[in-house]
Amino acid sequence: MKLSDAMTAAINDQIKAELDSAYIYLAMSAYFEDCGLSGMAHWMRKQYKEEVEHAEKFIDYLYERGARFIVPETAKPKESYENALDVFKTAYAHEQYVTSRIYKLVDMATAEKDYATLSMLKWYVDEQVEEEANAGGIVEKLEFLGGDKHGIYAVDRELSSR
Ligand SMILES: [Fe+2]
Ligand SMILES: [Fe+2]
């Protein structure tokens, strides 16, 4: 069965969203490097690579289904933040946004009775649970610390082992 034109366009659009995510995290990593928080910078760089993998997984799916992938233009990410909490709050909100996008794809595949795409999307549904839990967990920790520098330093060291 051929992938529908609408689904091909929607997946291409999601690939752009994943690559935009990658760039957002790469910029967050650069921000942390600039602050001297190398553990958080490392965590964000890993996150950047994961998002590229998410994009590639969608790209491979398009190829598998004989559909065309068009390399998208990516959005310029935000460069500056208030502090570490602001960065992770932004990351958490962004992951919630990506989850809502994945759910829309699930709705679309369901409406189209595109069971192959539905099955492929299950991986992303599960991955988003993890993504939100990871970012949300760090937000909770940083909120608890409330700007305590020793605490933030400890979290930075913890995140260096990702
Ligand atoms: Fe992603
Ligand atoms: Fe993500």
Side-chain angles (χ1 to χ4, degrees):
M1 237 168 84
K2 203 180 165 289
L3 205 59
S4 76
D5 289 346
M7 188 57 80
T8 301
I11 292 175
N12 265 284
D13 212 39
Q14 184 59 27
I15 293 165
K16 175 185 161 39
E18 299 291 350
L19 293 172
D20 283 343
S21 302
Y23 267 41
I24 288 168
Y25 292 127
L26 188 60
M28 287 175 171
S29 174
Y31 167 80
F32 282 132
E33 283 288 351
D34 196 44
C35 296
L37 290 165
S38 59
M40 292 185 187
H42 167 82
W43 193 95
M44 285 296 175
R45 184 83 81 91
K46 277 256 161 100
Q47 193 62 31
Y48 152 73
K49 285 178 185 160
E50 271 203 11
E51 298 300 346
V52 172
E53 279 173 24
H54 295 170
E56 283 178 332
K57 210 170 156 71
F58 275 122
I59 293 167
D60 287 336
Y61 180 72
L62 286 181
Y63 293 162
E64 238 181 338
R65 298 291 307 269
R68 183 77 161 97
F69 162 57
I70 307 284
V71 176
E73 219 173 281
T74 47
K76 177 109 181 76
K78 196 176 134 155
E79 304 287 349
S80 63
Y81 292 90
E82 295 285 307
N83 49 37
L85 176 60
D86 181 31
V87 178
F88 280 98
K89 267 187 172 171
T90 306
Y92 181 48
H94 183 73
E95 288 303 332
Q96 288 175 310
Y97 161 71
V98 171
T99 301
S100 75
R101 292 192 57 111
I102 297 290
Y103 286 5
K104 274 186 198 148
L105 286 173
V106 170
D107 287 342
M108 194 175 163
T110 305
E112 287 190 10
K113 297 191 180 198
D114 181 347
Y115 300 112
T117 299
L118 259 183
S119 171
M120 177 275 292
L121 287 171
K122 192 192 170 294
W123 184 88
Y124 287 91
V125 170
D126 296 340
E127 176 69 10
Q128 282 310 119
V129 173
E130 212 183 288
E131 294 272 82
E132 285 191 31
N134 288 343
I138 299 167
V139 167
E140 269 182 17
K141 257 183 213 174
L142 292 174
E143 270 176 343
F144 171 78
L145 291 168
D148 170 69
K149 290 208 166 159
H150 292 288
I152 292 169
Y153 181 65
V155 173
D156 184 64
R157 278 187 46 180
E158 183 195 330
L159 296 185
S160 71
S161 65
R162 180 181 182 180

